[in-house]
C-alpha cells in the first residue's frame, strides 16, 4: 500500500509537472502569436500612416519648388539635352537607374526613366563638403525610391528632382529635402508610380 501511495504521489507530481509544462508552452506560444499579430498590425498601421503622411506632404506647397508639365516620355538612344539639369522628365533611356546611393554621377537619361517610375533624385555639386554629403546620405539611406549621387557640376548646390518637379537648396540640413522626398517618392504625379526602381542598371 505504501508503494502504491508512493507511485501515486510520483504520478501526481509528474502529471502536475506536465500540466505546468503545457501551460508554459501554450502560454508562451500564445504570447508569441500575440506578439507576431501586434508586430504585423503595427507594420500595416505604420505603412498606412506613412502613405497618409506622404499624401499630406504632397498637398503642402514646398517653398522654392518649380513644376513642369507636358513632358514627353519617349525611349531614345544617346544623350538628351535637358533644359533643367539633371532632367525633370522628357525623353529618356529605355533602361532605368537602380535607386540607391552613388558616389559617382549617374547616367542622366537612365535617371529620368527612374523618375518616371516615381523615384526622387537628389544630386549635389562636387564642391559640397564631405560632412554635407554624409548628412544627405543619412537622409536618403534605406529609401527604396530615392537616388542620391553627385552631379556633373563643381558647385555646392543640392537639387531634388522628381518627374515634373524640382527644388534647389544650398544647405544639406534644409528640411525641404526630406519634405520633397516624402511628397514625391511614389507620387501619383509620376507617370508610372509603383514601377520598379530595381532590376535596371547601377549608375
Amino acid at each position: 500500500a505504501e508503494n502504491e501511495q508512493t507511485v501515486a504521489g510520483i504520478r501526481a507530481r509528474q502529471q502536475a509537472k506536465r500540466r505546468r509544462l503545457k501551460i508554459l508552452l501554450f502560454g508562451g506560444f500564445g504570447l508569441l502569436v500575440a506578439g507576431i499579430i501586434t508586430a504585423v498590425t503595427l507594420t500595416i498601421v505604420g505603412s498606412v500612416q506613412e502613405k497618409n503622411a506622404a499624401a499630406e506632404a504632397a498637398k503642402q506647397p514646398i517653398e522654392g519648388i518649380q513644376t513642369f508639365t507636358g513632358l514627353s516620355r519617349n525611349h531614345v538612344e544617346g544623350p538628351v539635352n535637358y533644359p533643367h539639369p539633371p532632367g525633370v522628365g522628357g525623353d529618356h533611356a529605355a533602361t532605368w537607374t537602380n535607386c540607391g546611393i552613388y558616389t559617382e554621377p549617374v547616367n542622366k537619361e537612365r535617371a529620368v526613366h527612374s523618375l518616371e517610375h516615381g523615384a526622387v533624385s537628389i544630386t549635389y555639386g562636387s564642391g559640397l563638403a564631405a560632412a554635407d554629403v554624409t548628412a544627405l546620405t543619412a537622409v536618403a539611406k534605406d529609401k527604396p525610391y530615392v537616388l542620391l549621387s553627385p552631379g556633373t557640376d563643381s558647385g555646392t548646390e543640392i537639387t531634388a528632382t522628381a518627374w515634373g518637379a524640382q527644388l534647389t537648396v544650398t544647405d544639406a540640413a534644409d528640411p525641404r529635402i526630406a519634405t520633397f522626398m516624402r511628397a514625391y517618392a511614389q507620387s501619383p504625379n509620376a507617370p508610372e508610380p509603383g514601377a520598379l526602381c530595381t532590376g535596371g542598371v547601377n549608375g
Side-chain angles (χ1 to χ4, degrees), residues 23 80 127 140:
I23 289 165
V80 177

Side-chain angles (χ1 to χ4, degrees), residues 65-202:
I65 201 167
Q66 290 181 283
T67 56
F68 308 87
T69 56
L71 299 164
S72 61
R73 291 175 53 199
N74 303 312
H75 288 176
V76 296
E77 288 183 28
V80 177
N81 184 25
Y82 294 112
H84 303 282
V88 296
D91 294 351
H92 52 268
T95 308
W96 57 92
T97 294
N98 292 325
C99 286
I101 294 166
Y102 295 90
T103 54
E104 297 289 333
V106 300
N107 177 280
K108 64 186 193 305
E109 291 79 17
R110 286 199 295 265
V112 168
H113 194 151
S114 303
L115 302 185
E116 186 182 38
H117 289 191
V120 167
S121 168
I122 311 287
T123 55
Y124 54 88
S126 59
L128 193 68
D132 290 329
V133 174
T134 301
L136 287 177
T137 302
V139 172
K141 193 178 177 189
D142 299 326
K143 303 283 191 307
Y145 276 86
V146 173
L147 261 170
L148 175 68
S149 68
T152 52
D153 64 276
S154 58
T156 57
E157 286 187 335
I158 300 154
T159 304
T161 308
W163 186 275
Q166 196 168 67
L167 171 72
T168 299
V169 300
T170 54
D171 181 2
D174 193 315
R176 289 177 295 170
I177 298 169
T179 303
F180 187 97
M181 287 194 300
R182 280 196 302 274
Y184 287 99
Q186 284 297 276
S187 162
N189 296 330
E192 299 175 12
L196 291 173
C197 203
T198 56
V201 174
N202 287 333

Side-chain angles (χ1 to χ4, degrees), residues 29-91:
F29 182 70
L31 284 173
L32 179 66
V33 169
I36 290 167
I37 289 167
T38 303
V40 169
T41 303
L42 287 174
T43 303
I44 291 166
V45 169
S47 176
V48 168
Q49 286 174 338
E50 218 172 88
K51 280 182 181 166
N52 289 345
E56 281 306 308
K59 288 178 196 168
Q60 303 302 319
I62 301 170
E63 189 186 338
I65 201 167
Q66 290 181 283
T67 56
F68 308 87
T69 56
L71 299 164
S72 61
R73 291 175 53 199
N74 303 312
H75 288 176
V76 296
E77 288 183 28
V80 177
N81 184 25
Y82 294 112
H84 303 282
V88 296
D91 294 351

